């Protein structure tokens, strides 16, 4: 491809990286200016360099740690505070069991009034424990909407509502999430949603229901059509619809494509 | 007097090292694409630099010196791992799944994935030149290879990146309507 060209790839790279001697550079400038193919090649090399720079501009996940050089003062202070906290906690904790133990022991013995208190106590424990037991059986369902056809949107709302109603009636703990991407995003857009009232009502009725919009889709709308998608109140945003779906499935959610 | 001078110099060096941490980390991350390992390598390089600070004669060469320590740490790390194949001989497969390919259309991810596919030597050269703006001579010193090797590696790396990235980026630009529907 480059046989007929005057410059080797190495030379062009050196040109792009400003590694040539001044006279060489001047010569190269002239030749490149007069040659479209060379010009394009240089342009692409520059683009590669810019892309590499762009790729590592933002280092998410890097938390610059503070100076690691030792600051004994801080360490000692932290040690004192920790010791003080432990001591305080211990002191406050110590008298705790004693007063608590006495009423519990004393109340049943006291007579007619305390049993009422005593009977109140036991039920208080199971509700706390119960969700823990049921949590293992929690049903988690994921609806995926990628179309804006009215019947599809209707369907996803109907299905989700029916499911939530069923589980609520059955006393089963369930979580339902509707993930929208692509055209499906329209369900959650204030200007395009066919039935914003219903979405609002459902969100109000069922606190275990959530609607999520794909950030990628929102970005794409912005980029390609210049539209800033405004979402219905209560709708959440996930970075990537597909990634969210995969994540949820890995977490044991049931996936239903509408 | 000499003593105080030394002290001032070492404090200055320490501050400079602390400021270089982000840059060293960026480079280490670009080489290994592993945040934890990059952090370790950075720390190791800084520790070594601090310990051997008397070896640095010319303060102007500090950056090249630092990055050559980092390159040594990086090489030592892989030398310690005996169970690995020589990474230079491998054309690394892309680790991204088709799903992530179709959804993470972000340029950054694509570029990083493309860089991750480069053989180690090429990756080091291209990142040293592009991210830190080192001259070819400096890169040759940092990595301990002849300057001709630097040039040929850089050339191959950029060609490989171009071959990988240009079609991807063009595809993205040309199919806006389809892209919306592709995710099902």
């Amino acid at each position: 491809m480059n046989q007929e060209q005057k410059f080797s790839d190495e030379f062009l790279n050196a040109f792009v990286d400003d590694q040539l001697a001044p006279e060489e550079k001047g010569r190269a400038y002239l030749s490149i200016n007069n040659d479209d193919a060379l010009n394009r090649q240089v342009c692409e090399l520059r683009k590669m360099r810019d892309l590499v720079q762009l790729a590592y501009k933002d280092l998410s996940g890097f938390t610059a740690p503070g100076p690691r050089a030792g600051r004994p003062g801080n360490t000692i202070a932290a040690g004192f505070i920790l010791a003080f906290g432990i001591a305080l906690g211990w002191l406050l904790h110590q008298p705790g069991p004693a007063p608590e133990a006495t009423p519990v022991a004393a109340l049943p013995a006291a007579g007619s009034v305390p049993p009422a208190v005593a009977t109140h106590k036991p039920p208080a424990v199971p509700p706390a424990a119960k969700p823990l037991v049921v949590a293992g059986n929690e049903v988690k369902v994921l609806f995926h909407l990628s179309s804006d056809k009215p019947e599809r949107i209707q369907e996803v709302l109907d299905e989700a509502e029916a499911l939530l109603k069923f589980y609520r009636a059955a006393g089963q703990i369930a979580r339902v999430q509707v993930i929208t991407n692509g055209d499906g995003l329209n369900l959650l857009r204030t200007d395009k949603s066919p039935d914003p009232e219903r979405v609002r009502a459902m969100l109000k009725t069922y606190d275990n229901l959530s609607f999520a919009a794909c950030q990628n889709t929102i970005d794409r709308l912005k980029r390609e059509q210049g539209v800033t998608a405004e979402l219905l109140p209560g709708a959440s945003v996930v970075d990537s619809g597909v990634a969210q779906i995969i994540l949820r499935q890995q977490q044991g959610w049931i996936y239903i494509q509408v | 007097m000499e003593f105080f001078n030394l002290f001032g110099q070492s404090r200055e060096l320490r501050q400079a090292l602390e400021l270089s941490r982000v840059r060293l980390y960026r480079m280490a991350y670009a080489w290994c694409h592993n945040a934890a390992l990059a952090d370790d390598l950075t720390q190791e390089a800084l520790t070594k630099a601090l310990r051997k600070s008397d070896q640095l004669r010319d303060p102007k060469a500090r950056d090249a010196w630092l990055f050559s320590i980092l390159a040594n740490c990086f090489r030592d790390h892989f030398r310690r791992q005996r169970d690995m194949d020589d990474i230079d001989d491998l054309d690394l497969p892309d680790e991204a799944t088709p799903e992530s390919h179709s959804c993470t259309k972000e340029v950054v991810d694509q570029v990083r994935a493309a860089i991750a596919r480069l053989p180690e030597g090429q990756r080091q050269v291209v990142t040293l030149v592009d991210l830190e703006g080192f001259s070819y001579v400096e890169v040759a010193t940092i990595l301990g290879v002849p300057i001709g090797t630097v040039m040929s590696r850089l050339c191959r790396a950029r060609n490989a990146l171009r071959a990988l990235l240009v079609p991807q980026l063009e595809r993205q630009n040309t199919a806006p309507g389809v892209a919306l529907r592709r995710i099902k």
Side-chain angles (χ1 to χ4, degrees), chain B residues 74-123:
Chain B
F74 184 68
R75 197 176 43 229
D76 288 348
H77 173 81
F78 285 103
R79 195 178 285 157
R80 277 199 294 274
Q81 294 201 325
R82 287 277 171 203
D83 52 338
M84 292 178 72
D85 295 317
D86 186 358
I87 219 161
D88 255 332
D89 300 336
L90 295 176
D91 194 5
L92 295 175
D94 196 344
E95 280 173 6
T97 58
E99 283 90 348
S100 62
H101 256 317
S102 66
C103 76
T104 53
K105 290 189 165 295
E106 287 174 39
V107 180
V108 170
D109 289 355
Q110 285 177 354
V111 180
R112 285 191 187 181
I115 289 174
R117 286 181 68 170
L118 294 176
E120 186 195 308
Q122 294 180 22
R123 202 184 322 147

Side-chain angles (χ1 to χ4, degrees), chain A residues 147-193:
Chain A
S147 153
D148 63 346
K149 287 188 189 142
E151 63 268 24
R152 289 279 168 84
I153 289 184
Q154 187 69 27
E155 197 184 336
V156 72
L157 293 177
D158 286 349
E159 288 285 341
E161 191 160 30
L163 205 62
L164 287 161
K165 202 179 274 176
F166 171 78
Y167 283 130
R168 181 166 281 189
Q172 168 83 22
I173 295 181
R175 282 167 70 193
V176 175
Q177 183 166 43
V178 180
I179 293 186
T180 64
N181 68 357
D183 293 339
L185 185 71
N186 284 355
L187 169 64
L188 300 180
R189 284 176 59 184
T190 42
D191 49 341
K192 291 275 177 85
S193 179

Side-chain angles (χ1 to χ4, degrees), chain A residues 1-2 9-17 19 40-41 44-69 144 146 181-183 214 216-217 219-221 223-225 239-240 242-243 245-246 255 257, chain B residues 14 18 21-22 25-26 29-31 33 35 39 42-43 97 99-100 102-108 111-112 115-116 123 126-127 129-131 133-137 148 151-152 154-156 158-159 161-162 165-166 169-170 172 175-177 179-181 183-184:
Chain A
M1 176 175 122
N2 297 321
D9 281 357
E10 277 87 356
F11 186 89
L12 288 180
N13 272 301
F15 176 76
V16 168
D17 294 323
Q19 296 289 310
R40 202 169 49 240
Q41 225 174 333
E44 278 188 344
L45 287 176
R46 286 222 171 96
K47 195 155 87 183
M48 288 307 118
R49 192 185 56 184
D50 292 348
L51 281 174
V52 173
Q53 282 168 357
L54 173 81
Y56 298 96
K57 204 170 223 168
D58 177 34
L59 291 170
S60 53
F62 177 64
T63 45
R68 297 203 184 190
H144 179 198
S146 58
N181 68 357
D183 293 339
C214 169
N216 284 345
T217 308
D219 290 346
R220 207 180 301 139
L221 276 177
R223 200 170 56 234
E224 289 167 6
Q225 299 173 16
D239 287 346
S240 152
V242 178
I245 289 166
I246 294 165
Y255 172 72
Q257 162 126 46
Chain B
R14 266 194 4 211
E18 199 50 52
R21 180 185 285 278
V22 178
Y25 175 84
R26 184 205 319 279
Y29 184 81
W31 289 349
H33 286 107
D39 204 22
T42 312
Q43 182 63 18
T97 58
E99 283 90 348
S100 62
S102 66
C103 76
T104 53
K105 290 189 165 295
E106 287 174 39
V107 180
V108 170
V111 180
R112 285 191 187 181
I115 289 174
R123 202 184 322 147
V126 81
T127 46
V129 172
D130 286 351
L131 296 183
F134 281 123
S135 72
Y136 293 176
V137 183
M151 289 177 76
S152 64
L154 181 70
C155 176
R156 266 179 279 154
R158 288 226 175 106
N159 283 346
L161 288 181
R162 194 169 50 178
L165 292 174
V166 169
L169 295 175
E170 272 174 6
Q172 249 170 270
L180 268 178
R181 227 168 276 156
I183 304 166
K184 277 210 166 159

Side-chain angles (χ1 to χ4, degrees), chain B residues 3-34:
Chain B
F3 173 76
F4 283 113
N5 221 356
L6 255 175
F7 183 73
Q9 214 175 7
S10 87
R11 199 179 61 174
E12 191 190 332
L13 177 80
R14 266 194 4 211
Q15 277 172 350
L17 290 184
E18 199 50 52
L19 291 175
S20 320
R21 180 185 285 278
V22 178
R23 290 162 58 215
L24 286 168
Y25 175 84
R26 184 205 319 279
M27 190 57 64
Y29 184 81
W31 289 349
C32 65
H33 286 107
N34 174 339

